[in-house]
Amino acid sequence: MNSYEEKLNMLQSGDIEILTISKGDFLSFREVLVNREDFKHFSGKATQGGEIIYTYLRVARS
């Protein structure tokens, strides 16, 4: 299992509350994220510096 998958699993389980992804890592991270069944449970907010902060939603977004 790659580190992105592990971090997403930790976010889903509540082991971590947020996951911060750098601008340079976004495309490779996104590849892993969109292939998950629970993709719509993850919410990402971009910061002014280009980092994206992800949280896990118990109810999937529409």
Side-chain angles (χ1 to χ4, degrees):
M1 188 180 303
N2 70 39
S3 66
Y4 291 141
E5 192 71 40
E6 289 174 30
K7 289 177 182 179
L8 288 167
N9 287 338
M10 290 174 65
L11 189 59
Q12 179 208 24
S13 68
D15 291 340
I16 58 175
E17 290 186 25
I18 63 168
L19 175 58
T20 304
I21 301 297
S22 70
K23 183 179 178 180
D25 291 337
F26 175 72
L27 291 177
S28 56
F29 171 78
R30 186 179 180 284
E31 239 180 83
V32 174
L33 177 63
V34 299
N35 287 317
R36 289 181 60 107
E37 271 190 41
D38 61 349
F39 166 67
K40 289 197 172 204
H41 285 268
F42 293 92
S43 173
K45 304 269 189 235
T47 65
Q48 193 166 7
E51 289 185 331
I52 302 95
I53 299 172
Y54 284 93
T55 55
Y56 189 81
L57 308 170
R58 295 294 163 208
V59 177
R61 57 189 166 79
S62 54

